[in-house]
Structures are given as structure tokens and as C-alpha cells.
Amino acid sequence: MSKVHTVAVLVGSLRKQSINRKVALALAELAPANLKLNIVEIGDLPLYNEDIDVTPPAAYSTFRQQVSSSDAVLFVTPEYNRSVPAPMKNAIDVGSRPYGKSAWGGKPGAVISVSPGAIGGFGANHHLRQSLVFLNVPCMQQPEAYLGGAGAAFDEAGKLSESVRPFLQGFINAYADWVEQHKKA
Ligand SMILES: Cc1cc2nc3c(=O)[nH]c(=O)nc-3n(C[C@H](O)[C@H](O)[C@H](O)COP(=O)(O)O)c2cc1C
């Protein structure tokens, strides 16, 4: 078997019953054997402020280390007001500093947006991709992943719907190939 690649997974919703978090956990279960997904928590990161980053808070340092030591990055995000939720954007900004030492550069990435709404978080998905272009994260183009109607993706016991499973399976399989193709030497 090829090497196991570690994936730092960022979830853009902080609430306990988050559908996005459930999707992230489902993807971790469905991932092929050459990917190991680990959720990296972003909820305790102070809002990015260059002044406090002169002596970085422990939360910044820990987060940067968790991303840096991963082989790849996966973003699972809701859409807030047609864009990226603040905690997710904050985490992206924290990881991008100090200047010249970004944790993101060159790590194969992918974005999946998840919403109970019909559009599936399209706006958030593409705003996030804009940052990834600048951060030099090679981001999987296809399959695009906008999971709409996600309120029905899990039953009350938390079980993934059989109608959604193939979509997530296809996405994570393609991402595993993407990571394999774009891994850093
Ligand atoms: C501040 C705020 C703004 C939102 N804006 C959007 C939006 O633009 N598009 C959308 O599809 N859903 C929007 N929603 C609804 C979220 O998609 C919904 O709350 C979703 O369940 C969030 O994901 P989660 O279950 O992982 O927390 C918004 C929710 C909040 C709290």
C-alpha cells in the first residue's frame, strides 16, 4: 500500500450539532486506507491580530503546528451570508502567518460546502477557493462538492443517509487520488 497521508480537516461551524462536523466525521470513515483525516479544532483561535502575534498565543502555535505537520488540508464549511464563516476565515489567516512561514503552502486541498439550503454553500465554497489560490494550496477542481439539502443527510441517530453516501464516497476517493498526485516530494 502507498504511504498514509495525514489530512488536517477544518470544520467551519462551531456548534455541537453541526451538520458540517457530521459530514467531516463521515468522510473520515469513508476515506480510503491511504488517507487519515484528523479534525483540527479552530474554535479557540483568538481573532487574528498582528499585535498579539508578536508573541504568538499558544492556540496559534498549536494550530500552525497541526497544519504544518499534516500532508494535506480539507475544508468542510457551511455558508454564512453567502461567504466563508468567520471562524474558518480566521483559521486560514492564522495559518498564513508569520509572513513567509505559511502553514498552507503546497498542501493538496479540497473544499466541500454543506448547507440545508438548496444552493449547497456555493458562495462560501468559491470564496474559500479564492484564498487557497493565494496561499498556494493546489485545490481539487473536480468533483465540485456542494452538499445541499443537508438537513436530511443524517437521521436522528446520526446515521448517514444512503442517498448521500455515494456522493461523499466519490468525493473522498477523488481527493485521495488528488493528494497522491499533488503531495509534496
Ligand atoms: C449567520 C448565519 C448566516 C447564514 N447564511 C447562510 C447562507 O448564506 N447560505 C446558506 O445556505 N445557509 C446560511 N445559513 C444557514 C446555515 O447553512 C445553517 O445554519 C447550517 O446548518 C450551518 O451548518 P452547521 O449545521 O454545520 O452548523 C446561515 C446561518 C447563520 C448562523
Side-chain angles (χ1 to χ4, degrees):
M1 194 185 79
S2 57
K3 174 184 182 294
V4 176
H5 304 295
T6 56
V7 182
V9 182
L10 276 69
V11 178
S13 168
L14 304 184
R15 71 187 187 97
K16 289 193 188 77
Q17 290 303 320
S18 162
I19 308 167
N20 280 267
R21 180 170 288 266
K22 289 176 188 165
V23 167
L25 293 171
L27 289 170
E29 295 262 317
L30 295 170
N34 68 331
L35 279 195
K36 180 163 175 22
L37 274 58
N38 305 304
I39 293 180
V40 172
E41 300 297 340
I42 62 173
D44 289 335
L45 293 173
L47 283 180
Y48 188 74
N49 178 338
E50 287 188 273
D51 291 340
I52 67 170
D53 205 11
V54 172
T55 306
Y60 283 8
S61 303
T62 301
F63 175 74
R64 288 165 175 158
Q65 172 57 26
Q66 287 170 320
V67 174
S68 295
S69 63
S70 300
D71 299 314
V73 287
L74 175 62
F75 299 86
V76 185
T77 191
E79 176 177 82
Y80 279 6
N81 299 306
R82 294 285 182 260
S83 189
V84 180
M88 181 67 98
K89 182 59 167 59
N90 186 51
I92 290 170
D93 294 342
V94 170
S96 72
R97 287 296 194 264
Y99 185 78
K101 294 189 177 164
S102 167
W104 306 112
K107 295 193 188 292
V111 179
I112 176 169
S113 51
V114 177
S115 171
I119 306 173
F122 175 89
N125 192 307
H126 282 264
H127 281 181
L128 209 162
R129 285 168 185 270
Q130 180 171 324
S131 294
L132 299 183
V133 170
F134 180 68
L135 293 169
N136 195 30
V137 171
C139 188
M140 184 169 75
Q141 295 98 333
Q142 294 289 343
E144 298 166 276
Y146 316 105
L147 182 56
F154 298 89
D155 68 14
E156 287 197 358
K159 186 172 175 298
L160 178 63
S161 152
E162 289 306 320
S163 62
V164 174
R165 181 187 298 273
F167 173 75
L168 294 184
Q169 188 70 68
F171 172 77
I172 200 69
N173 288 353
Y175 180 54
D177 290 345
W178 182 260
V179 172
E180 196 62 43
Q181 287 165 26
H182 296 273
K183 65 190 173 192
K184 280 171 129 176

